[in-house]
Amino acid sequence: AVSVPTFAQVAPSQTPTPMWIWAEKEFPTPDTVFFRHAFRLPQKPFSARLLIVGDDLFKAYLNEDRKPIGTGNDWTTAQEFDVTRFLKAGKNLLAVEVTNTAGAAGLLYRLTVVLPNGKTLVYVSNKAVLVERRPPPVWLEIGFDDKDWLPAREIAPVNGGVWGTLRTNPQSDPSRIVRIWNPLSSSAPKENPYTVARTIGDRMLLTTSVASK
């Protein structure tokens, strides 16, 4: 079985509040907005996880890699990605492309970085993020001059606004692991694999059932 925590339940205590953000003006759908969030790290992180959701479709990029580090198409569920290997000491850039296909539009994220000394740094979506609808091809570059980009508009805090309480991806619950025998490990073709006697060396599998709340 799995547990399905809310966005708020996986937040470190006393961290900045992630905000649903978008461009200042509303445009007809489909509407695509591009976001840039630059930040500096004192050293390469020990670990880093990005929790992110877009309404409706998103592609997230880190540090000029043109292959998305994460994508999503469900605004009710935040996606979580391990992004440790993409970050470095010095200036970093989180860039996100979001397309709204109908209804409300927004982007929400929290990037949690743990340094080797145990210190935790948290970066969230808010009005400090820069936005643009028609970026040049170099918009993913860290050194790109984005002085003409506008600050994002804050719409609502996490678990607020028209989106309400969000959920994250199902997480395995180790307390509910089920042990089963591999039915094909040692049985002959015509034997019932579930009743045949087991011998030393037979493989046992561990599995969990997946369910959401």
Side-chain angles (χ1 to χ4, degrees), residues 52-73:
I52 182 171
V53 59
D55 188 352
D56 294 283
L57 315 171
F58 77 83
K59 298 177 184 177
Y61 305 86
L62 272 170
N63 289 342
E64 303 184 348
D65 191 341
R66 293 194 170 273
K67 180 180 178 180
I69 55 93
T71 63
N73 58 8

Side-chain angles (χ1 to χ4, degrees), residues 178-187 193-194 196-207:
V178 179
R179 294 178 296 178
I180 61 174
W181 289 106
N182 181 351
L184 302 179
S185 61
S186 61
S187 57
Y194 297 100
V196 66
R198 296 295 166 185
T199 60
I200 296 176
D202 279 358
R203 289 187 298 168
M204 178 180 285
L205 308 179
L206 299 179
T207 185

Side-chain angles (χ1 to χ4, degrees), residues 12 20 36 40 105 113 123 131 154 158 175 183 213:
W20 281 99
R36 282 174 55 93
R40 288 188 173 274
V113 179
Y123 305 91
V131 303
E154 294 183 348
V158 59
S175 68
K213 298 177 182 178

Side-chain angles (χ1 to χ4, degrees), residues 135-155:
V138 294
W139 76 285
L140 291 176
E141 295 183 7
I142 295 177
F144 168 65
D145 185 358
D146 54 15
K147 65 179 180 4
D148 294 328
W149 287 40
L150 299 176
R153 170 172 56 97
E154 294 183 348
I155 305 172

Side-chain angles (χ1 to χ4, degrees), residues 4-144:
V4 188
T6 66
F7 197 106
Q9 286 173 327
V10 295
S13 60
Q14 298 182 344
T15 61
T17 300
M19 303 292 294
W20 281 99
I21 59 175
W22 198 247
E24 182 62 32
K25 296 181 180 180
E26 298 286 349
F27 272 45
T29 57
D31 180 24
T32 300
V33 174
F34 301 81
F35 301 80
R36 282 174 55 93
H37 185 165
F39 57 95
R40 288 188 173 274
L41 295 177
Q43 54 190 139
K44 185 173 176 60
F46 172 75
S47 68
R49 301 194 71 84
L50 175 65
L51 193 61
I52 182 171
V53 59
D55 188 352
D56 294 283
L57 315 171
F58 77 83
K59 298 177 184 177
Y61 305 86
L62 272 170
N63 289 342
E64 303 184 348
D65 191 341
R66 293 194 170 273
K67 180 180 178 180
I69 55 93
T71 63
N73 58 8
D74 177 6
W75 63 263
T76 68
T77 304
Q79 306 293 317
E80 188 171 17
F81 303 98
D82 183 344
V83 296
T84 308
R85 67 187 181 91
F86 298 100
L87 300 181
K88 60 183 181 179
K91 190 173 183 179
N92 292 261
L93 175 68
L94 171 63
V96 188
E97 175 184 348
V98 185
T99 298
N100 178 35
T101 59
L107 168 67
L108 180 79
Y109 63 81
R110 180 178 56 250
L111 174 61
T112 304
V113 179
V114 179
L115 300 178
N117 61 7
K119 182 179 181 181
T120 298
L121 304 174
V122 179
Y123 305 91
V124 301
S125 51
N126 56 29
K127 61 184 179 182
V129 178
L130 299 178
V131 303
E132 177 60 68
R133 279 192 168 90
R134 292 192 176 92
V138 294
W139 76 285
L140 291 176
E141 295 183 7
I142 295 177
F144 168 65

